[in-house]
Amino acid sequence: MKRIFSMFCALMIALSLLGIQVTAQDTTIKVFFTNDVHSRITEQMDDQGQLTQLGYARYATFIKENAKDAAGKLVLDAGDVFHGQPFANLEKGASVAQILKAIGYDAIAIGNHDFNYGENRLETLGIESGAPLLAANITKDGTLRYQASV
């Protein structure tokens, strides 16, 4: 059952990237997600002045505007969010966790760099962000260390 649910979630994420709405029984749920942000919180531009990455402020507005007509929404991160830029590193990810909480992330999959401050700190960052940390293959003493799904 979990495998089917995981496949369904992967399909929903893929469809959301294409801008496709999924409607079931007249209920629309929109999925928004980030990945490999590495604590880059501001907008990024390329050499030609083209926007290559939304900042979190614009992303929050994007979510708010695009979720208006939906019955529900999911806001997810696929990992490597807490570490990377001095803004985050100086506070060991706390500044990023506060932003994620303000936006209202529903879940965060753990990336390899999310362990850069240590496992105990990562657990604290999950609590501070208000979003459960997900990982289906990280065990400690033979038991799952994090939730496999929400």
Side-chain angles (χ1 to χ4, degrees), residues 22-97:
V22 178
T23 304
Q25 298 180 7
D26 299 320
T27 301
T28 300
I29 299 172
K30 293 192 176 179
V31 180
F32 304 90
F33 86 98
T34 49
N35 185 47
D36 287 302
V37 176
H38 293 280
S39 72
R40 291 184 297 268
I41 62 162
T42 58
E43 294 179 350
Q44 305 291 314
M45 303 284 198
D46 65 15
D47 294 338
Q48 289 77 38
Q50 297 295 314
L51 185 66
T52 59
Q53 177 180 315
L54 286 179
Y56 276 122
R58 190 180 286 197
Y59 185 57
T61 301
F62 176 82
I63 293 169
K64 184 177 178 182
E65 292 298 316
N66 286 283
K68 283 181 182 177
D69 61 342
K73 70 178 181 346
L74 284 173
V75 183
L76 310 168
D77 184 83
D80 290 344
V81 66
F82 294 113
H83 183 271
Q85 303 297 309
F87 166 81
N89 297 349
L90 290 171
E91 295 187 11
K92 296 185 179 178
S95 50
V96 174

Side-chain angles (χ1 to χ4, degrees), residues 119 135-146:
E119 190 173 355
N137 61 351
I138 299 174
T139 60
K140 185 173 187 176
D141 299 326
T143 59
L144 280 178
R145 179 72 173 98
Y146 301 95

